[in-house]
Structures are given as C-alpha cells and as structure tokens.
Amino acid sequence: MKKLGIFLSIEGIEGVGKTTAVRFIEQYLKQKEIDFILTREPGGTEIAEQIRHILLNPNSEEILATNTELLLMFACRAQHIQQVILPALQEQKWVVCDRYIDASYAYQGGGRNISLAHIKMLDDWIVNELLPDKTILLDAPPEVGLARAKHRGPQDRIEQEAVDFFDRVRRAYLLRAEEDPKRFRVIDATKDLETVQDEIIRVLNE
C-alpha cells in the first residue's frame, strides 16, 4: 500500500487522556497549517460507526462472543482503511487516528486472551503493513485511568470491564511498544498536562 502522508495513532487504556491529546494535536497541526484528518477506531466511516455501536453497546441482551468482537473490530478496520485512511494518506494528508491496530493486540489479545496468531492473521490480511509512522502510547495504571473515566458519564460495554482486564491490556500495549521502539513513543499520562503536551510536541516535530 503506497502512502505519501503522515500516519499518527494515539493509543492507551480508558482515562489516559487520548481525547485531550487528539484535541491538542488538532490545534497544533492547524497552527502549522498542515492538512490533516481526525478519525477513530472502532468507527471512522458510516458503516464502521454502525459496527461500533454493536461493539460498545452495554445494553444488549445478547452476549457478544470474544471472537465476534475481534472479527467486528477488523471489519471496522477494513472499511476504515479503504474509505478513509488510505485515501487521505494518498492525498498527502496527515491522518491522526484515535486507536488502530495496536488496540486489537492490546484489547482482544491482552484483555480477551485471544490467540495472537489469530490476530496476526487478520492483521496481515486487513492492515497489510499499513502501520502508523508514529504511535503515541499514553500510559497510566488502570486504577488511575478508570478513576478518571468514571467522571465522563455512562460507561460503554468495554469500559465496564474489571481492573484486571485493563491491567492485561496495559501490559500488552507496553509489550508492543517494547517490540517496536522506533514507532512507539510511550508518554507517562500521570504527569501534568503541560508536560504531556510538551512530549507530544516533541513527537510531532520528529
């Protein structure tokens, strides 16, 4: 997949400040007069947003099987890549994505304990080496993130998981970062906002 733009993903568990970081990056890129789009996973297209509702709906009477969750995540991603991410990169735009492929390794792999071989198979098929140029991983202990997230209103299906689920997700994220240090930049999200934003600027300036 040929791409000409810059692809940046923002990762982390609930409550680490991804939304705040994305808004900060948006303002920074506007100041620099850089052509960009903001998008998210799961979601990003009309069809993918419909699937997002199924994935995150906490009120469904039917239990969503873990393999179904994984497959729906990749169905969203397939649509997202073809309809949004790849066209924007080919138009030489920056793509700033709130979660991407690493989230599947973290949430479905780490959190749900799905075989990494199954995730890798879907990764090879759907993502096909379309990785971000940089991935900012906002890191904080689950207890800190979940305490912050409680103040945001009603929790979705995944936000309602127990602390040990998010501990596994965090460990999986950190393992991904350790395995690919050139792409990842891990930022301590327990630090004050100004410090976090200064570190984000350093990543963007690279």
Short mmCIF file of all heavy atoms in Angstrom, two decimals, residues 7 37-41 43-49 76-91 93-97 130:
data_model
loop_
_atom_site.label_atom_id
_atom_site.label_comp_id
_atom_site.label_asym_id
_atom_site.label_seq_id
_atom_site.Cartn_x
_atom_site.Cartn_y
_atom_site.Cartn_z
N PHE A 7 1.05 9.23 9.08
CA PHE A 7 0.03 8.48 9.82
C PHE A 7 0.44 8.43 11.29
O PHE A 7 1.49 7.89 11.63
CB PHE A 7 -0.08 7.07 9.22
CG PHE A 7 -1.22 6.24 9.73
CD1 PHE A 7 -2.18 6.75 10.59
CD2 PHE A 7 -1.34 4.90 9.34
CE1 PHE A 7 -3.23 5.98 11.04
CE2 PHE A 7 -2.38 4.11 9.77
CZ PHE A 7 -3.33 4.65 10.64
N ILE A 37 -6.61 14.93 8.80
CA ILE A 37 -7.94 14.48 9.21
C ILE A 37 -7.81 13.82 10.58
O ILE A 37 -6.76 13.28 10.92
CB ILE A 37 -8.58 13.49 8.21
CG1 ILE A 37 -7.77 12.19 8.15
CG2 ILE A 37 -8.73 14.11 6.84
CD1 ILE A 37 -8.53 11.04 7.49
N LEU A 38 -8.89 13.89 11.35
CA LEU A 38 -9.00 13.17 12.61
C LEU A 38 -9.99 12.03 12.41
O LEU A 38 -11.04 12.20 11.80
CB LEU A 38 -9.51 14.08 13.73
CG LEU A 38 -8.70 15.33 14.07
CD1 LEU A 38 -9.40 16.09 15.18
CD2 LEU A 38 -7.29 14.96 14.47
N THR A 39 -9.65 10.86 12.93
CA THR A 39 -10.55 9.73 12.82
C THR A 39 -10.37 8.81 14.02
O THR A 39 -9.57 9.11 14.92
CB THR A 39 -10.33 8.98 11.48
OG1 THR A 39 -11.36 8.03 11.29
CG2 THR A 39 -8.96 8.33 11.41
N ARG A 40 -11.13 7.72 14.07
CA ARG A 40 -11.07 6.87 15.26
C ARG A 40 -11.43 5.44 14.93
O ARG A 40 -12.03 5.14 13.89
CB ARG A 40 -12.03 7.38 16.33
CG ARG A 40 -13.52 7.24 15.96
CD ARG A 40 -14.40 7.69 17.10
NE ARG A 40 -15.82 7.52 16.78
CZ ARG A 40 -16.81 7.78 17.65
NH1 ARG A 40 -16.51 8.23 18.85
NH2 ARG A 40 -18.07 7.59 17.30
N GLU A 41 -11.02 4.55 15.84
CA GLU A 41 -11.43 3.16 15.77
C GLU A 41 -11.91 2.69 17.15
O GLU A 41 -11.34 3.12 18.16
CB GLU A 41 -10.26 2.28 15.31
CG GLU A 41 -9.93 2.45 13.85
CD GLU A 41 -9.11 1.30 13.28
OE1 GLU A 41 -8.68 0.41 14.04
OE2 GLU A 41 -8.90 1.30 12.06
N GLY A 43 -14.72 2.65 14.24
CA GLY A 43 -15.51 3.72 13.64
C GLY A 43 -14.77 4.36 12.48
O GLY A 43 -13.91 3.77 11.86
N GLY A 44 -15.14 5.60 12.20
CA GLY A 44 -14.45 6.36 11.17
C GLY A 44 -15.18 6.46 9.85
O GLY A 44 -14.88 7.33 9.04
N THR A 45 -16.13 5.56 9.60
CA THR A 45 -16.99 5.63 8.40
C THR A 45 -18.42 5.36 8.83
O THR A 45 -18.66 4.89 9.96
CB THR A 45 -16.59 4.61 7.33
OG1 THR A 45 -17.10 3.31 7.70
CG2 THR A 45 -15.08 4.52 7.15
N GLU A 46 -19.36 5.59 7.96
CA GLU A 46 -20.77 5.35 8.32
C GLU A 46 -21.00 3.90 8.73
O GLU A 46 -21.62 3.62 9.76
CB GLU A 46 -21.67 5.72 7.14
CG GLU A 46 -23.16 5.51 7.43
CD GLU A 46 -24.05 5.83 6.23
OE1 GLU A 46 -23.53 6.33 5.22
OE2 GLU A 46 -25.26 5.57 6.33
N ILE A 47 -20.50 2.98 7.92
CA ILE A 47 -20.68 1.56 8.23
C ILE A 47 -19.92 1.17 9.49
O ILE A 47 -20.44 0.47 10.37
CB ILE A 47 -20.24 0.69 7.03
CG1 ILE A 47 -21.22 0.88 5.87
CG2 ILE A 47 -20.13 -0.78 7.42
CD1 ILE A 47 -20.79 0.19 4.59
N ALA A 48 -18.68 1.63 9.60
CA ALA A 48 -17.86 1.30 10.77
C ALA A 48 -18.46 1.86 12.06
O ALA A 48 -18.36 1.24 13.12
CB ALA A 48 -16.44 1.80 10.58
N GLU A 49 -19.10 3.02 11.98
CA GLU A 49 -19.73 3.58 13.17
C GLU A 49 -20.94 2.75 13.59
O GLU A 49 -21.24 2.63 14.79
CB GLU A 49 -20.15 5.03 12.92
CG GLU A 49 -18.99 6.02 12.80
CD GLU A 49 -18.28 6.25 14.13
OE1 GLU A 49 -18.89 6.07 15.19
OE2 GLU A 49 -17.07 6.63 14.08
N CYS A 76 -14.55 -3.30 10.92
CA CYS A 76 -14.48 -1.83 11.01
C CYS A 76 -13.20 -1.32 10.37
O CYS A 76 -13.21 -0.36 9.58
CB CYS A 76 -14.48 -1.40 12.48
SG CYS A 76 -16.09 -1.29 13.24
N ARG A 77 -12.10 -1.97 10.71
CA ARG A 77 -10.78 -1.51 10.25
C ARG A 77 -10.65 -1.64 8.73
O ARG A 77 -10.08 -0.76 8.07
CB ARG A 77 -9.70 -2.31 10.97
CG ARG A 77 -8.28 -1.80 10.72
CD ARG A 77 -7.33 -2.38 11.76
NE ARG A 77 -7.66 -1.87 13.08
CZ ARG A 77 -7.83 -2.64 14.17
NH1 ARG A 77 -7.70 -3.96 14.09
NH2 ARG A 77 -8.13 -2.08 15.32
N ALA A 78 -11.17 -2.72 8.18
CA ALA A 78 -11.10 -2.90 6.73
C ALA A 78 -11.82 -1.77 6.01
O ALA A 78 -11.31 -1.20 5.03
CB ALA A 78 -11.72 -4.25 6.35
N GLN A 79 -13.01 -1.43 6.51
CA GLN A 79 -13.78 -0.33 5.91
C GLN A 79 -13.07 1.00 6.11
O GLN A 79 -12.99 1.84 5.20
CB GLN A 79 -15.17 -0.30 6.55
CG GLN A 79 -16.19 0.56 5.81
CD GLN A 79 -16.63 -0.07 4.49
OE1 GLN A 79 -16.32 -1.22 4.19
NE2 GLN A 79 -17.38 0.69 3.71
N HIS A 80 -12.54 1.19 7.29
CA HIS A 80 -11.85 2.43 7.67
C HIS A 80 -10.63 2.68 6.80
O HIS A 80 -10.41 3.81 6.31
CB HIS A 80 -11.45 2.32 9.15
CG HIS A 80 -11.03 3.59 9.77
ND1 HIS A 80 -10.20 3.64 10.88
CD2 HIS A 80 -11.30 4.89 9.47
CE1 HIS A 80 -10.00 4.89 11.22
NE2 HIS A 80 -10.65 5.67 10.39
N ILE A 81 -9.82 1.65 6.60
CA ILE A 81 -8.61 1.79 5.79
C ILE A 81 -8.95 2.16 4.36
O ILE A 81 -8.38 3.09 3.78
CB ILE A 81 -7.78 0.49 5.83
CG1 ILE A 81 -7.13 0.31 7.21
CG2 ILE A 81 -6.71 0.48 4.74
CD1 ILE A 81 -6.47 -1.03 7.42
N GLN A 82 -9.90 1.43 3.78
CA GLN A 82 -10.21 1.63 2.37
C GLN A 82 -10.94 2.94 2.10
O GLN A 82 -10.70 3.58 1.07
CB GLN A 82 -11.05 0.46 1.86
CG GLN A 82 -10.31 -0.87 1.84
CD GLN A 82 -9.05 -0.82 0.99
OE1 GLN A 82 -9.05 -0.23 -0.10
NE2 GLN A 82 -7.98 -1.42 1.46
N GLN A 83 -11.80 3.35 3.02
CA GLN A 83 -12.64 4.52 2.77
C GLN A 83 -12.05 5.84 3.30
O GLN A 83 -12.38 6.91 2.78
CB GLN A 83 -14.02 4.32 3.40
CG GLN A 83 -14.80 3.14 2.84
CD GLN A 83 -15.15 3.35 1.37
OE1 GLN A 83 -15.49 4.46 0.96
NE2 GLN A 83 -15.08 2.29 0.58
N VAL A 84 -11.19 5.76 4.31
CA VAL A 84 -10.73 6.99 4.97
C VAL A 84 -9.21 7.10 5.02
O VAL A 84 -8.62 8.05 4.50
CB VAL A 84 -11.31 7.08 6.41
CG1 VAL A 84 -10.74 8.30 7.13
CG2 VAL A 84 -12.83 7.17 6.36
N ILE A 85 -8.56 6.13 5.67
CA ILE A 85 -7.13 6.27 5.97
C ILE A 85 -6.28 6.31 4.71
O ILE A 85 -5.50 7.24 4.49
CB ILE A 85 -6.66 5.15 6.92
CG1 ILE A 85 -7.37 5.27 8.27
CG2 ILE A 85 -5.14 5.21 7.11
CD1 ILE A 85 -7.05 4.14 9.24
N LEU A 86 -6.40 5.28 3.89
CA LEU A 86 -5.54 5.20 2.71
C LEU A 86 -5.79 6.36 1.72
O LEU A 86 -4.82 6.96 1.24
CB LEU A 86 -5.73 3.85 2.02
CG LEU A 86 -4.66 3.44 1.00
CD1 LEU A 86 -3.26 3.52 1.59
CD2 LEU A 86 -4.94 2.05 0.45
N PRO A 87 -7.04 6.70 1.42
CA PRO A 87 -7.25 7.85 0.53
C PRO A 87 -6.63 9.15 1.06
O PRO A 87 -6.05 9.92 0.29
CB PRO A 87 -8.78 7.96 0.43
CG PRO A 87 -9.26 6.57 0.69
CD PRO A 87 -8.32 6.01 1.71
N ALA A 88 -6.75 9.39 2.37
CA ALA A 88 -6.18 10.61 2.94
C ALA A 88 -4.66 10.62 2.83
O ALA A 88 -4.05 11.63 2.50
CB ALA A 88 -6.60 10.76 4.40
N LEU A 89 -4.03 9.49 3.11
CA LEU A 89 -2.58 9.41 3.01
C LEU A 89 -2.12 9.58 1.57
O LEU A 89 -1.09 10.22 1.31
CB LEU A 89 -2.09 8.06 3.57
CG LEU A 89 -2.23 7.86 5.08
CD1 LEU A 89 -1.89 6.43 5.46
CD2 LEU A 89 -1.35 8.84 5.85
N GLN A 90 -2.87 9.04 0.63
CA GLN A 90 -2.52 9.19 -0.78
C GLN A 90 -2.68 10.63 -1.25
O GLN A 90 -2.07 11.03 -2.24
CB GLN A 90 -3.35 8.22 -1.62
CG GLN A 90 -2.95 6.77 -1.40
CD GLN A 90 -3.89 5.78 -2.07
OE1 GLN A 90 -5.04 6.10 -2.37
NE2 GLN A 90 -3.40 4.57 -2.31
N GLU A 91 -3.51 11.40 -0.53
CA GLU A 91 -3.66 12.83 -0.82
C GLU A 91 -2.65 13.67 -0.04
O GLU A 91 -2.76 14.89 0.00
CB GLU A 91 -5.09 13.28 -0.47
CG GLU A 91 -6.15 12.68 -1.39
CD GLU A 91 -7.56 12.98 -0.90
OE1 GLU A 91 -7.71 13.72 0.10
OE2 GLU A 91 -8.51 12.47 -1.52
N LYS A 93 -2.13 13.91 3.12
CA LYS A 93 -2.61 14.47 4.38
C LYS A 93 -2.02 13.71 5.57
O LYS A 93 -1.58 12.58 5.44
CB LYS A 93 -4.14 14.39 4.45
CG LYS A 93 -4.87 15.20 3.41
CD LYS A 93 -6.36 15.03 3.56
CE LYS A 93 -7.13 15.83 2.50
NZ LYS A 93 -8.59 15.64 2.60
N TRP A 94 -2.02 14.37 6.72
CA TRP A 94 -1.75 13.68 7.97
C TRP A 94 -3.05 12.98 8.39
O TRP A 94 -4.14 13.55 8.25
CB TRP A 94 -1.36 14.66 9.07
CG TRP A 94 0.06 15.11 9.04
CD1 TRP A 94 0.76 15.59 7.97
CD2 TRP A 94 0.96 15.16 10.16
NE1 TRP A 94 2.03 15.93 8.34
CE2 TRP A 94 2.18 15.69 9.68
CE3 TRP A 94 0.85 14.83 11.51
CZ2 TRP A 94 3.28 15.88 10.52
CZ3 TRP A 94 1.94 15.02 12.34
CH2 TRP A 94 3.15 15.52 11.85
N VAL A 95 -2.91 11.78 8.90
CA VAL A 95 -4.04 11.05 9.49
C VAL A 95 -3.75 10.86 10.98
O VAL A 95 -2.75 10.24 11.35
CB VAL A 95 -4.26 9.69 8.82
CG1 VAL A 95 -5.35 8.90 9.55
CG2 VAL A 95 -4.63 9.87 7.35
N VAL A 96 -4.61 11.42 11.82
CA VAL A 96 -4.48 11.27 13.27
C VAL A 96 -5.61 10.36 13.72
O VAL A 96 -6.79 10.73 13.64
CB VAL A 96 -4.55 12.64 13.99
CG1 VAL A 96 -4.42 12.45 15.50
CG2 VAL A 96 -3.48 13.58 13.45
N CYS A 97 -5.26 9.17 14.20
CA CYS A 97 -6.26 8.15 14.48
C CYS A 97 -6.28 7.78 15.97
O CYS A 97 -5.25 7.39 16.54
CB CYS A 97 -5.97 6.90 13.64
SG CYS A 97 -7.31 5.70 13.65
N LEU A 130 0.15 -1.47 6.62
CA LEU A 130 -0.19 -0.04 6.70
C LEU A 130 -0.15 0.39 8.16
O LEU A 130 -1.18 0.59 8.81
CB LEU A 130 -1.56 0.24 6.10
CG LEU A 130 -1.97 1.72 6.02
CD1 LEU A 130 -1.00 2.52 5.17
CD2 LEU A 130 -3.39 1.86 5.51
#
